[in-house]
């Protein structure tokens, strides 16, 4: 599924970029083509104008040359230079189209002039193009009293520029598509990674939730069968089985309520009423409710609460976070161990830390302990009555308050949970 999603992303991305490159290259080519054609037409007209300024064309000897062989007498410097930019020549015909004279600065065979004249006359237009001996030529016909004056100019180099431009665009386009393919594939894989992770977590969540519900349902079903098999007995004698059913039902109820609570926390549409409250008092209230439990477990307990620390949020939810962390610390403290809780101001934030001695948490588990149903020791967690949702609830609450929650641990020594609230 994710491979198909990635491939669709690649196809859409490459198609979009290909169309954009095609439009860009076509625009550049059209602009270049128009500029080249304008230059060709301007050069052709300049040559034709220069021929008309010459004294008698071919019959007058070298066009416009001064007797001393210097700059042409009847042309400016630009006009004198312009015809030399390209191979060009002029043919004069009579009214019947017979070649009368030719004027060229380059030596060519008479057959070439005849062939060029034939191509120009067969075209039937005053301006046209043709290919002769592997070269591209453009011509322009000017009608005179004596017949026709036809100017020819070699445009092979200009055409090669346009052809090479197409080859260059093709090569660059293919190279860019290859680079874009691998680049897009890299970013596509990175883009779908969170989707894949969310999907995997959802599957794991469904599997874990099913497992958690399966155990109490099995117990309930087994005890119900025992009751049915002794239907004639009194309720007093069957109280043990009923108590098991009630206990597992309560467990399922807590699990269902926690799941619903997590869903509400994750729903962005669920609004919370935030207000300033005294977090120091909130933490002290939770400590008072837990002192008896801590005393019964024979655990050393120490706390350090800075007074009058206030945060913006929901006091009941923050109390729930403190209760979850303190309850976990008490559960997983080793016999005759110690639990420490502190609340202090750190820069502009309030930092809560809950620490306990014990086995600690391995580094590979620290980033996952806030996932739903995740437990580092499944058997021990079940003995403690947990099902791996407490820390997930705590993280959801802290996230709703724009805070941070994280853990640090030293294997065999201690574990500390931190909650940082703005």
């Amino acid at each position: 599924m994710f491979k198909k999603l990635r491939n669709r992303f690649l196809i859409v991305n490459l198609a979009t970029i290909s169309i954009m490159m095609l439009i860009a290259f076509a625009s550049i080519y059209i602009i270049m083509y128009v500029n080249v054609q304008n230059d060709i037409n301007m050069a052709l007209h300049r040559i034709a104008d220069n021929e008309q300024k010459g004294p008698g064309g071919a019959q007058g000897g070298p066009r416009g040359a001064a007797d001393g062989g210097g700059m042409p007498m009847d042309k400016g410097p630009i006009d004198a230079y312009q015809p030399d930019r390209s191979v060009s020549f002029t043919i004069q015909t009579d009214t019947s189209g017979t070649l009368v004279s030719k004027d060229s600065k380059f030596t060519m065979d008479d057959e070439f002039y005849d062939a060029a004249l034939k191509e120009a006359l067969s075209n039937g237009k005053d301006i046209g193009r043709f290919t002769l001996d592997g070269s591209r030529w453009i011509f322009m016909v000017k009608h005179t009293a004596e017949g026709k004056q036809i100017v020819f100019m070699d445009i092979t180099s200009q055409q090669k520029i346009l052809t090479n431009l197409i080859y260059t665009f093709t090569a660059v386009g293919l190279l860019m598509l290859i680079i874009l393919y691998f680049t897009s594939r890299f970013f596509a894989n990175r883009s779908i990674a969170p989707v894949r992770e969310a999907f995997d977590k959802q599957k794991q969540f469904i599997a874990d939730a099913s497992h958690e519900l399966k155990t109490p349902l099995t117990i309930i079903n087994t005890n119900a069968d025992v009751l049915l098999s002794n239907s004639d007995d009194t309720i007093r004698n069957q109280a043990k089985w009923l108590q098991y059913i009630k206990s597992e039902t309560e467990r399922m109820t807590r699990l269902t309520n926690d799941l619903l609570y997590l869903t509400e926390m994750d729903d962005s549409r669920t609004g919370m009423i935030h207000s300033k409250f005294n977090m120091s008092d909130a933490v002290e209230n939770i400590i008072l409710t837990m002192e008896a439990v801590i005393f019964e477990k024979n655990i050393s307990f120490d706390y350090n609460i800075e007074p009058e620390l206030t945060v913006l949020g929901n006091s009941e939810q923050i109390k729930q976070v403190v209760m979850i962390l303190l309850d976990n610390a008490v559960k997983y403290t080793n016999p005759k161990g110690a639990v420490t809780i502190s609340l202090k101001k750190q820069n502009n934030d309030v930092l809560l830390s809950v620490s306990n001695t014990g086995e600690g948490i391995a580094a590979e588990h620290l980033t996952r302990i806030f996932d739903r149903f995740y437990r580092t020791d499944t058997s021990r967690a079940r003995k403690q009555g947990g099902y791996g949702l407490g820390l997930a609830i705590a993280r959801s609450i802290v996230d709703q308050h724009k805070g941070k929650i994280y853990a640090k641990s030293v294997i065999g020594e201690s574990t500390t949970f931190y909650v940082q609230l703005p």
Side-chain angles (χ1 to χ4, degrees):
M1 181 182 72
F2 293 104
K3 188 175 181 180
K4 290 182 178 179
L5 180 63
R6 184 200 65 186
N7 291 338
R8 288 179 181 177
F9 177 84
L10 282 175
I11 292 172
V12 172
N13 192 33
L14 290 176
T16 303
I17 293 175
S18 299
I19 292 172
M20 293 175 64
M21 283 198 308
L22 185 61
I23 294 173
F25 289 165
S27 301
I28 295 173
Y29 180 81
I30 290 172
I31 294 172
M32 180 67 75
Y33 180 85
V34 171
N35 289 336
V36 170
Q37 300 310 315
N38 288 337
D39 290 343
I40 291 173
N41 291 331
M42 290 175 63
L44 189 63
H45 281 85
R46 287 194 184 100
I47 294 171
D49 293 341
N50 289 335
E51 290 296 333
Q52 287 184 344
K53 294 177 183 179
Q59 289 89 348
R63 290 175 295 145
D67 293 339
M71 184 67 69
M73 300 283 294
D74 55 347
K75 300 178 184 179
I78 296 179
D79 290 335
Y81 174 74
Q82 200 68 32
D84 295 336
R85 284 187 173 182
S86 300
V87 177
S88 61
F89 61 91
T90 304
I91 291 178
Q92 183 71 40
T93 68
D94 56 18
T95 54
S96 63
T98 303
L99 191 151
V100 176
S101 64
K102 53 185 179 295
D103 181 18
S104 175
K105 288 188 175 184
F106 304 91
T107 302
M108 299 179 186
D109 296 335
D110 291 338
E111 291 81 3
F112 182 85
Y113 293 113
D114 293 335
L117 177 60
K118 183 180 179 180
E119 291 283 352
L121 294 177
S122 64
N123 190 279
K125 298 179 181 179
D126 289 342
I127 296 180
R129 302 183 183 198
F130 62 88
T131 302
L132 185 62
D133 292 345
S135 299
R136 291 287 296 170
W137 293 85
I138 187 172
F139 68 88
M140 184 174 64
V141 179
K142 287 201 172 185
H143 300 273
T144 63
E146 295 80 9
K148 297 179 180 178
Q149 184 188 53
I150 308 175
V151 180
F152 297 85
M153 187 175 72
D154 186 0
I155 58 171
T156 304
S157 60
Q158 291 89 334
Q159 291 299 317
K160 283 185 177 180
I161 291 175
L162 295 176
T163 303
N164 290 335
L165 190 63
I166 293 176
Y167 291 152
T168 302
F169 282 165
T170 303
V172 172
L174 291 175
L175 179 62
M176 289 300 296
L177 285 178
I178 293 173
I179 295 174
L180 287 170
Y181 170 77
F182 289 104
T183 304
S184 299
R185 183 171 179 174
F186 172 75
F187 285 106
N189 288 331
R190 293 195 62 179
S191 298
I192 66 174
V195 181
R196 186 196 299 273
E197 183 181 357
F199 183 77
D200 291 339
K201 283 185 177 181
Q202 183 182 22
K203 289 199 303 183
Q204 186 65 38
F205 170 77
I206 293 173
D208 292 339
S210 300
H211 177 74
E212 292 294 338
L213 290 172
K214 181 180 179 180
T215 301
L217 286 173
T218 301
I219 295 174
I220 291 173
N221 185 60
T222 302
N223 285 278
D225 289 340
V226 172
L227 290 174
L228 290 173
S229 64
N230 297 283
S231 56
D232 295 334
D233 206 346
T234 62
I235 293 178
R236 183 185 298 275
N237 293 335
Q238 303 290 339
K240 178 175 66 174
W241 314 114
L242 292 173
Q243 185 61 39
Y244 290 157
I245 292 175
K246 185 175 184 300
S247 174
E248 293 303 319
T249 302
E250 291 174 350
R251 176 181 171 81
M252 289 178 61
T253 301
R254 291 195 304 271
L255 174 60
T256 304
N257 290 337
D258 286 342
L259 290 174
L260 290 174
Y261 183 79
L262 278 171
T263 302
E264 292 176 358
M265 292 296 297
D266 291 341
D267 190 350
S268 59
R269 294 171 297 178
T270 302
M272 292 191 306
I273 299 176
H274 285 186
S275 60
K276 283 273 188 179
F277 69 94
N278 192 318
M279 188 167 177
S280 300
D281 291 344
V283 174
E284 287 177 353
N285 289 336
I286 298 301
I287 291 174
L288 290 175
T289 59
M290 291 291 294
E291 274 187 331
V293 176
I294 296 172
F295 178 77
E296 288 180 1
K297 286 184 172 286
N298 194 24
I299 294 174
S300 173
F301 181 62
D302 187 25
Y303 60 91
N304 181 21
I305 309 298
E306 289 188 14
E308 304 302 323
L309 294 180
T310 60
V311 296
L312 179 65
N314 186 298
S315 61
E316 294 303 318
Q317 289 183 340
I318 297 300
K319 286 180 180 179
Q320 187 175 3
V321 172
V322 179
M323 177 66 78
I324 290 171
L325 296 180
L326 193 54
D327 182 59
N328 272 3
V330 172
K331 284 181 179 178
Y332 296 104
T333 300
N334 52 359
K336 296 184 179 180
V339 173
T340 304
I341 183 170
S342 72
L343 182 69
K344 61 183 179 179
K345 190 172 183 61
Q346 186 179 64
N347 299 325
N348 295 325
D349 299 333
V350 173
L351 182 65
L352 171 72
S353 64
V354 180
S355 178
N356 67 279
T357 58
E359 297 179 2
I361 302 173
E364 62 268 20
H365 297 302
L366 285 177
T367 57
R368 298 195 58 192
I369 54 177
F370 297 101
D371 293 344
R372 299 174 187 182
F373 294 111
Y374 187 82
R375 290 172 296 199
T376 58
D377 188 342
T378 305
S379 61
R380 184 181 178 189
R382 186 168 297 280
K383 290 178 183 178
Q384 299 288 352
Y387 34 76
L389 288 178
L391 291 177
I393 293 174
R395 183 178 64 177
S396 295
I397 293 174
V398 173
D399 289 344
Q400 288 281 355
H401 285 76
K402 311 298 182 185
K404 297 178 182 178
I405 182 170
Y406 55 94
K408 295 181 180 180
S409 181
V410 178
I411 298 298
E413 293 185 13
S414 64
T415 301
T416 305
F417 286 86
Y418 298 93
V419 176
Q420 188 174 348
L421 296 173

